[in-house]
Amino acid sequence: MATSDGDLLDRTFQTPKEAERERRLRRRLSRQRKGSNNRARTRAALGKLTGRVRARRADFAARTAHVLCAENAVVVLEKLNTTNMTASAKGTTHAPGVNVRQKAGLNRAILAKGWHGLTLACQNAARRTGSQIVEVNPAYTSQTCHSCGYVAVENRESQSVFCCGRCGHTAHADVNAAQNILTRGWTSPSG
């Protein structure tokens, strides 16, 4: 997550050893007979492991939301529809999807970060702090220059580098997008 102040907040919720253990448990679970006691034990171990990851994600969201809402009267967020963003690219038998494996990896990455959970945590924290939550349309925020307003796909050189093709403004791409989102939040009718 990037803030308009330039802070980049991120946390790894699952260690590499936990990821390996989850992979082994899922493989073991797929080989076990349904209804067996061994399968029940494997499911319990898998649930315990994924529960810890889920708890870390919820804790990060709650702490981040508390800090954001305590320090700001208005918090502006992207209105992301994660359900549609993580829809399968599988397609049908008559019209099969394209890049299905890549899309599945992207879906896992989106869900692993818990974007929707952060939005819910901000709304919950805003009730206690009296902050206002404004959600804006995220379209073209990562391609728009915050300095001059020039919109072009070429402005986003890479995942983290933003360089305006008109005025030459350079910044971290996510911070530039966060500044655009804040500007939209102030100019929106509800902001």
Side-chain angles (χ1 to χ4, degrees):
M1 186 179 96
T3 65
S4 58
D5 296 334
D7 297 332
L8 297 171
L9 308 171
D10 193 14
R11 179 170 175 201
T12 304
F13 303 116
Q14 189 176 40
T15 65
K17 283 196 173 189
E18 286 175 331
E20 175 63 24
R21 177 158 169 72
E22 181 183 0
R23 190 178 63 78
R24 275 190 273 117
L25 284 171
R26 288 194 188 279
R27 185 185 304 154
R28 185 187 310 165
L29 186 70
S30 71
R31 293 177 180 160
Q32 291 172 333
R33 195 174 71 240
K34 290 184 179 175
S36 69
N37 289 337
N38 281 338
R39 184 177 172 94
R41 275 195 292 276
T42 304
R43 286 186 64 183
L46 188 60
K48 188 176 177 183
L49 181 67
T50 56
R52 279 199 305 267
V53 173
R54 205 173 21 240
R56 286 184 201 130
R57 190 180 304 121
D59 180 62
F60 173 76
R63 287 173 184 261
T64 304
H66 173 72
V67 169
L68 287 174
C69 291
E71 293 177 355
N72 301 295
V74 177
V75 178
V76 183
L77 302 171
E78 289 179 297
K79 188 174 182 132
L80 298 173
N81 191 341
T82 52
T83 305
N84 290 349
M85 291 172 73
T86 58
S88 174
K90 189 167 35 174
T92 62
T93 11
H94 300 297
V98 182
N99 297 330
V100 178
R101 294 305 320 144
Q102 292 90 333
K103 179 66 171 123
L106 176 64
N107 292 349
R108 273 193 301 277
I110 289 172
L111 293 171
K113 288 300 176 183
W115 295 346
H116 185 66
L118 182 66
T119 302
L120 294 177
C122 283
Q123 291 169 348
N124 191 28
R127 280 190 222 112
R128 282 182 263 121
T129 60
S131 298
Q132 181 184 3
I133 302 294
V134 177
E135 290 186 300
V136 297
N137 183 4
Y140 302 107
T141 53
S142 63
Q143 299 173 2
T144 305
C145 178
H146 181 67
S147 295
C148 68
Y150 179 65
V151 181
V153 177
E154 299 80 32
N155 286 348
R156 186 90 183 238
E157 289 184 0
S158 69
Q159 183 62 31
S160 62
V161 177
F162 180 89
C163 183
C164 181
R166 183 189 293 164
C167 71
H169 170 70
T170 58
H172 190 283
D174 293 334
V175 173
N176 182 68
Q179 291 169 341
N180 288 330
I181 291 164
L182 179 64
T183 304
R184 282 189 189 181
W186 285 114
T187 58
S188 71
S190 61

